[in-house]
Amino acid sequence: MLALSPRPASTATISPTSTNALRVAPVSVAAGFPSPAQDYYDGAIDLTEMLVHDHAATFIVRAAGDSMTEAGISDGDELLVDRSKTPRHGDVVVAVLDGELTVKRLELGPHGVVLRAENAHHPDITVPELSDLQVWGVVTYCIHHLRGRR
Amino acid sequence: MIAHVDVNSAYASFERVFNPALETVPLVVLSNNDGMVVAASREAKALGLDLGKPWFELRPTAARSGVVAVSSNYELYGDMSRRVMEVLERFTHDLDVYSIDEAFLTVDRRTSADPEAMTRLGHDIKDALRRLLGVPVCVGIAQTRTLAKLSNRAAKKIDDLNGVCVWPAIDPGWREKLMRALPVSEVWGIASRLERRLGGHGVLTVWDLATVDPAHIRALFNVVVMRTALELRGIACIGPEEDHTGKKQQIIVSRSFSEKVTTTATMRQALSIYAQQAATRLVKHSQVAHTLTTFAGTSHWAQDKHHPTITVRLPFPTADPVQLTRAAHRLLPQIVEGARYARAGLLLTDLTPAGAQLPFEIFRSPHEDAGIATLIDRVQKKTGKNSLGLGYGGFRPGPSWQMKRTMLTPRATTHWAELTTVRA
């Protein structure tokens, strides 16, 4: 599941930007006719192109714990963190709390900043001042494993 | 104008990005086999933990003052360095990567004419690296490379400058005061031996070297020192690719291409040339390298951005251009035909003095031509590193080049199994 994009992913232009990318071969259309798109094929869809907008500033981290399950983040999921994005109200962010990296939903309210857990069993964390909070980066995508791990 | 950007306590800063708990802790990074201190955070330096000191001597006192020591995480530093350079490329058309943690940027003409614009540029660079990568840097901007480096030193030392020192924007009286206060060894390329000799001729401070008659300096020393003296006067005479300092902890060969490289064949050629240059530098400093990172990148403004990179752990430390070229070429499968690459480069890390491994290299080389090395590599890949080896060393690597990194932090940006964990 690719969740939590702050904005819809841009239209996938088919272009070769990374050889590590997931390759999807062009599927031929109705039998008997040559594909009218064949001449325009210039590489495969590139997953990196869709997920990573700033190569230098994007990091991959791994979630540990179940405080964000309601946001679609399970224990062991990989998160793409784009540090070039300015954190906004409602973003899922990685924040620095007591020297530790924590993933929570950022809520900027009238009574200060709340790092909201997306699981009823976990408490929210209130930060008195925005300046007290160090946001490490904005989580743009979650790689949620649907079929277990190797 | 030239901007010089330098990461503050680079290795320590890179470590801190992924472990904020280390932010305020005195932190030292150890060399191969955890032998010596190769990097120290500001806090560690304040405790007198100097670079180049053997760790076993420092350990007892360090532990008592809460110092944290980590092994060199070359994979992490190499990747973070690549990211730093990628961000810097957004600020210039000509980036000259000087080492793993510093680079010179050519400042465009319009900005160069305006001290205020240069100050803004310096802060923009500094803020971008802090925001995008979490990496603290200082920036020095001046007419010459030597002055840009000196400005950077000033930016690091004088808190009021806020990490950015634009030489032409500073009051001349203040500049003179600074140059009179700094010993001549603070100048780029003036090593301690040279400092002593200069001292014998009354050249003690940066100011002395900047004001002495250049012809006199040339007669007493050589043209290199004269050029340094001229550079301090704002006359540019040291260009890119010039390496006039001594031994290094890492060697980097990287330039922006004058014309975009679009084919694998051209890239192969460029990487070959860089590998030869890197080998030459290694030989010059009597060093061998154990790790090679090869990278290429399209321009930041390119439509299809592509930044392939590969880190190769060399089978044994080497300065052999053939070995290095072959390792560099392992980037080629990642090169996309038709992509417009603006830059490529090689980064050699994990350097050790040459000599110790020499007999082994001679032993190995003749077998390489027979394709045995490739065969061994294939067998080892299939059945494990210790299944088959060549001669003595191939089977059981000796301690000097099998690195011991007992306090290694996760290789968080290059290994899936070692990603940074965030608490959910």
Side-chain angles (χ1 to χ4, degrees), chain B residues 292-366:
Chain B
L292 172 69
T293 303
T294 310
F295 52 89
T298 51
S299 147
H300 177 57
W301 293 278
Q303 210 158 30
D304 297 323
K305 291 194 196 63
H306 187 215
H307 290 88
T309 170
I310 188 167
T311 297
V312 177
R313 189 88 181 127
L314 299 161
F316 55 90
T318 185
D320 177 11
V322 178
Q323 287 276 350
L324 295 175
T325 307
R326 192 173 302 163
H329 284 175
R330 286 185 45 189
L331 183 73
L332 293 173
Q334 289 188 49
I335 294 298
V336 175
E337 285 285 331
R340 294 167 55 77
Y341 295 99
R343 190 164 66 89
L346 265 61
L347 169 69
L348 293 163
T349 49
D350 194 2
L351 306 187
T352 45
Q357 297 83 10
L358 203 58
F360 182 54
E361 279 199 56
I362 289 166
F363 180 74
R364 185 178 176 116
S365 294

Side-chain angles (χ1 to χ4, degrees), chain B residues 33-52:
Chain B
N33 302 314
D34 300 336
M36 298 222 276
V37 175
V38 288
S41 72
R42 207 172 170 163
E43 298 79 6
K45 280 178 190 155
L47 289 170
L49 293 164
D50 279 336
L51 308 190

Side-chain angles (χ1 to χ4, degrees), chain B residues 101-302:
Chain B
D101 57 0
E102 54 182 322
F104 292 104
L105 288 72
T106 304
V107 180
D108 69 70
R109 196 170 300 174
R110 179 127 55 102
T111 311
S112 294
D114 178 1
E116 266 177 43
M118 283 193 282
T119 309
R120 271 199 305 277
L121 173 71
H123 283 289
D124 285 350
I125 291 172
K126 181 174 169 252
D127 295 346
L129 287 165
R130 170 60 93 176
R131 189 172 63 90
L132 299 176
L133 304 180
V135 166
V137 300
C138 285
V139 185
I141 304 180
Q143 297 89 328
T144 68
R145 280 161 197 262
T146 306
L147 276 178
K149 283 214 49 141
L150 189 71
S151 306
N152 201 320
R153 292 289 300 162
K156 277 207 165 60
K157 286 194 159 182
I158 300 157
D159 287 342
D160 286 349
L161 287 172
N162 260 325
V164 176
C165 175
V166 177
W167 197 248
I170 287 172
D171 170 61
W174 191 90
R175 289 199 304 238
E176 182 181 332
K177 223 168 95 181
L178 179 78
M179 288 169 102
R180 284 185 188 279
L182 291 175
V184 72
S185 58
E186 291 282 342
V187 175
W188 187 34
I190 305 289
S192 59
R193 213 166 49 126
L194 191 55
E195 182 189 21
R196 277 198 297 278
R197 286 179 57 209
L198 282 163
H201 294 279
V203 178
L204 298 166
T205 66
V206 178
W207 180 255
D208 294 337
L209 187 59
T211 50
V212 76
D213 176 13
H216 186 54
I217 281 287
R218 184 178 183 168
L220 284 172
F221 296 94
N222 53 45
V223 69
V224 181
V225 186
M226 183 193 76
R227 290 198 308 179
T228 299
L230 286 171
E231 284 240 328
L232 286 174
R233 294 173 173 220
I235 301 159
C237 21
I238 298 175
E241 284 152 6
E242 280 184 61
D243 174 27
H244 73 154
T245 52
K247 273 203 180 23
K248 303 201 157 156
Q249 284 170 21
Q250 82 290 130
I251 285 173
I252 195 156
V253 179
S254 169
R255 290 285 293 159
S256 309
F257 296 131
S258 50
E259 261 173 57
K260 301 278 182 292
V261 167
T262 57
T263 66
T264 308
T266 328
M267 185 60 82
R268 182 192 306 275
Q269 199 177 9
L271 293 178
S272 304
I273 292 165
Y274 288 165
Q276 317 271 327
Q277 287 178 355
T280 311
R281 283 207 212 165
L282 280 172
V283 171
K284 191 175 144 201
H285 298 311
S286 308
Q287 285 176 310
V288 285
H290 203 160
T291 307
L292 172 69
T293 303
T294 310
F295 52 89
T298 51
S299 147
H300 177 57
W301 293 278

